[in-house]
């Protein structure tokens, strides 16, 4: 119908197929959550595809975190992808352990928990010089523990062999550990010395007394 034909009172229908726009379906299997968590990256969206992955990255259920229970329920009800943003107080800090050099006693290396939070105080670190060259290289053992029936139980561990404090060495400790570890970060104290040994074979034959705790998380 033309405009001239539509001047009389009545109802007119104008169908223009080329103007139709389809609306696609929207997945209900995705979730976005912003909240506190036991551990994990801060202030950045992390893609999680299972509650097991949430446990590994963010520490699982935490009584102080409503978000952790929401994510658990999301996966119990068939959810697929969650984008998690962990937030914390402005003064949130990472647990640390300073390691001193053998000859000077000055700070040569600082071990930090990989993310802020009290969880880092469950980390334990040990050092030995049982390497191909004990003058220039050292081994590092890392444990995450939980207290079960009053005793420490190891729930996660990492080990790094033949580390160096020489920035030009391919086994430069901060470079190797920071790229590979999910538990700790190393900060070079610029002394260039190996950290003091805490045991004779902390990877092959670790003893409880070899390990030092991180504090201040």
């Amino acid at each position: 119908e033309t405009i001239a034909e539509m001047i009389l009172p009545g109802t007119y229908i104008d169908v223009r197929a080329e103007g139709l726009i389809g609306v696609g379906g929207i997945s209900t299997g995705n979730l976005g959550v912003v909240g506190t968590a036991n551990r994990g990256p801060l202030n950045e969206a992390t893609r999680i595809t299972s509650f097991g992955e949430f446990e590994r990255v963010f520490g699982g259920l935490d009584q102080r975190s409503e978000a952790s229970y929401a994510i658990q329920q999301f996966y119990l009800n068939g959810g697929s992808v969650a984008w998690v943003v962990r937030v914390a107080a402005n003064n949130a800090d990472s647990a640390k352990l300073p390691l001193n050099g053998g000859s000077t006693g000055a700070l040569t290396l600082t071990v930090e928990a990989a993310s802020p939070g009290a969880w880092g105080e469950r980390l334990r670190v040990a050092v030995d010089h049982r390497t191909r060259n004990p003058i220039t290289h050292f081994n590092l053992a890392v444990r995450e523990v939980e207290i079960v029936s009053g005793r420490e139980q190891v729930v996660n561990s990492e080990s790094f062999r033949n580390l160096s404090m020489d920035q030009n060495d391919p086994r430069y400790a901060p470079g190797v550990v920071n790229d590979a570890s999910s538990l700790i970060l190393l900060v070079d104290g610029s002394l260039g010395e190996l950290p003091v040994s805490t045991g004779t074979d902390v990877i092959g034959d670790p003893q409880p007394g070899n390990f030092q705790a991180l504090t201040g998380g």
Side-chain angles (χ1 to χ4, degrees):
E1 294 170 316
T2 66
I3 294 178
E5 295 172 330
M6 297 174 62
I7 59 176
L8 297 176
T11 301
Y12 301 91
I13 299 175
D14 184 12
V15 178
R16 302 183 183 184
E18 68 274 14
L20 297 179
I21 301 176
V23 178
I26 300 175
S27 171
T28 58
N30 293 350
L31 174 72
V33 177
V34 178
T36 61
N38 184 274
R39 64 201 291 174
L42 278 177
N43 303 321
E44 62 180 76
T46 301
R47 186 176 186 269
I48 300 296
T49 58
S50 69
F51 189 70
E53 186 175 6
F54 177 77
E55 290 179 310
R56 290 191 299 274
V57 177
F58 291 98
L61 292 178
D62 187 327
Q63 292 181 350
R64 300 162 298 180
S65 170
E66 293 183 5
S68 67
Y69 288 91
I71 292 168
Q72 181 194 48
Q73 292 300 314
F74 172 69
Y75 284 110
L76 287 175
N77 286 282
S80 56
V81 176
W83 290 91
V84 181
V85 180
R86 180 192 178 209
V87 294
N90 291 334
N91 61 350
D93 198 9
S94 297
K96 298 178 177 64
L97 174 67
L99 299 178
N100 294 331
S103 62
T104 64
L107 176 68
T108 191
L109 194 63
T110 300
V111 183
E112 294 187 2
S115 62
W119 79 274
E121 296 182 358
R122 303 199 304 267
L123 295 176
R124 309 287 185 265
V125 173
V127 174
D128 72 34
H129 296 167
R130 189 184 177 92
T131 65
R132 61 194 180 197
N133 190 335
I135 304 300
T136 60
H137 291 77
F138 67 101
N139 297 322
L140 183 68
V142 186
R143 289 177 170 179
E144 180 183 1
V145 302
E146 289 184 354
I147 305 300
V148 179
S149 300
R151 301 182 62 182
E152 287 189 353
Q153 178 176 311
V154 179
V155 295
N156 204 351
S157 64
E158 298 175 344
S159 59
F160 303 92
R161 296 182 181 273
N162 295 308
L163 300 175
S164 168
M165 292 306 298
D166 180 353
Q167 295 185 14
N168 297 315
D169 192 303
R171 296 295 297 171
Y172 175 56
V176 171
V177 174
N178 294 354
D179 283 346
S181 178
S182 63
L183 298 177
I184 63 168
L185 296 171
L186 298 183
V187 179
D188 192 343
S190 301
L191 184 64
E193 290 188 4
L194 300 189
V196 173
S197 175
T198 63
T200 57
D201 189 2
V202 300
I203 296 176
D205 185 25
Q207 303 298 317
N210 298 158
F211 288 82
Q212 299 174 285
L214 277 65
T215 60

